[in-house]
Amino acid sequence: SAFRRLVVFDIADPTAPFVAGTYEVNDLHDGYANGFAINGSYLYLATAYALAVLDISNPPTPVEVAYYVHPEFSDTLDVALAGQVAYVPDYGGRGIFVLDVSNPAAPSELRRYLDPPGWAGAPDPNVFAHGGYLYYGEESHGMYIYGP
């Protein structure tokens, strides 16, 4: 399925982009390629039931260095990075998982923010981290901001 694949495009010549490589999402957990974020030579990919960490130092051939599965992930759709921390919201109403990614090969849970009241199972949650704040929004309920 096309949804189980991360596609890498070479856009060195913007008038003639081409597919340079792909990464097939581990379907052990029926995962899909959803939101992603990049920090240095690592790409963090929300795959519905896991967070895949890919070494993209050679972009046409991403290499999986970790596949973090949390027993309570039910539908992770996005990921935001702030330094060595990844924020992974769960569409299944389990809140935002906060992961230590200082060692990309071994992500670990630091804590979890519960969904704001009434947001459990809210569609299409998105996160963005900036300036010490986490912005968490979705189409039906608006935005919630977590501060220091």
Side-chain angles (χ1 to χ4, degrees):
S1 162
F3 298 113
R4 295 178 191 269
R5 182 175 304 129
L6 173 74
V7 180
V8 179
F9 288 91
D10 184 318
I11 57 170
D13 178 355
T15 64
F18 64 91
V19 174
T22 61
Y23 165 76
E24 298 294 326
V25 173
N26 178 341
D27 66 2
L28 176 65
H29 300 284
D30 198 27
Y32 293 91
N34 292 316
F36 68 90
I38 296 173
N39 184 6
S41 61
Y42 293 97
L43 183 143
Y44 297 81
L45 176 66
T47 67
Y49 298 99
L51 180 70
V53 182
L54 309 176
D55 180 337
I56 57 168
S57 55
N58 182 10
T61 56
V63 175
E64 183 180 294
V65 296
Y67 199 76
Y68 178 82
V69 177
H70 190 285
E72 293 189 45
F73 279 174
S74 67
D75 202 358
T76 58
L77 298 176
D78 200 9
V79 60
L81 296 172
Q84 303 299 311
V85 177
Y87 299 91
V88 183
D90 186 85
Y91 168 76
R94 291 171 175 84
I96 302 169
F97 292 84
V98 182
L99 307 177
D100 176 351
V101 293
S102 58
N103 177 357
S108 61
E109 184 176 3
L110 292 172
R111 68 168 294 172
R112 184 180 338 169
Y113 294 114
L114 297 177
D115 281 338
W119 278 34
D124 299 326
N126 294 289
V127 290
F128 182 76
H130 180 73
Y133 290 88
L134 180 67
Y135 300 86
Y136 178 42
E138 62 80 35
E139 66 186 52
S140 299
H141 296 88
M143 182 177 289
Y144 198 80
I145 301 170
Y146 295 92

